[in-house]
Amino acid sequence: MRANYTQNLMTGEAKITVKTCSESINYMSEIYGFIKDNSFDAKMMTDFYNVTFTITGHNLTEYIPVIMDFINNIENGSYERK
């Protein structure tokens, strides 16, 4: 998985885009649960080659560690929904 963080310096609107390979389609329920559990405003897309989910909002910097933990746990197979 790869995550990018961008922020509009004029409006403060931030965006975290996470892209990964199509294998993550197997983890869509975990990804959806993570987004829902954290009340993120997000869009999820897939083209059967890549999976992308984009989280938008203000002050997302506080969620970067949470998102990075999720990515690491999904990649090593240790993610458990709370």
Side-chain angles (χ1 to χ4, degrees), residues 28-52:
M28 290 304 277
S29 63
E30 287 88 350
I31 293 170
Y32 177 76
F34 171 75
I35 290 169
K36 185 178 176 186
D37 291 347
N38 288 283
S39 301
F40 290 134
D41 183 19
K43 292 182 182 180
M44 294 173 31
M45 298 177 287
T46 183
D47 59 6
F48 295 102
Y49 297 103
N50 296 298
V51 173
T52 303

Side-chain angles (χ1 to χ4, degrees), residues 12-78:
E13 178 82 315
K15 177 170 57 171
I16 298 173
T17 304
V18 180
K19 292 185 179 186
T20 185
C21 65
S22 61
E23 182 179 303
S24 291
I25 292 172
N26 297 327
Y27 300 102
M28 290 304 277
S29 63
E30 287 88 350
I31 293 170
Y32 177 76
F34 171 75
I35 290 169
K36 185 178 176 186
D37 291 347
N38 288 283
S39 301
F40 290 134
D41 183 19
K43 292 182 182 180
M44 294 173 31
M45 298 177 287
T46 183
D47 59 6
F48 295 102
Y49 297 103
N50 296 298
V51 173
T52 303
F53 60 99
T54 304
I55 299 168
T56 56
H58 291 276
N59 300 321
L60 292 178
T61 54
E62 66 189 70
Y63 294 107
I64 291 173
V66 174
I67 294 167
M68 294 307 297
D69 282 344
F70 172 74
I71 290 169
N72 290 331
N73 290 336
I74 283 288
E75 286 182 340
N76 67 25
S78 65

Side-chain angles (χ1 to χ4, degrees), residues 4-18:
N4 289 317
Y5 176 85
T6 56
Q7 184 172 14
N8 183 319
L9 297 176
M10 300 299 270
T11 65
E13 178 82 315
K15 177 170 57 171
I16 298 173
T17 304
V18 180

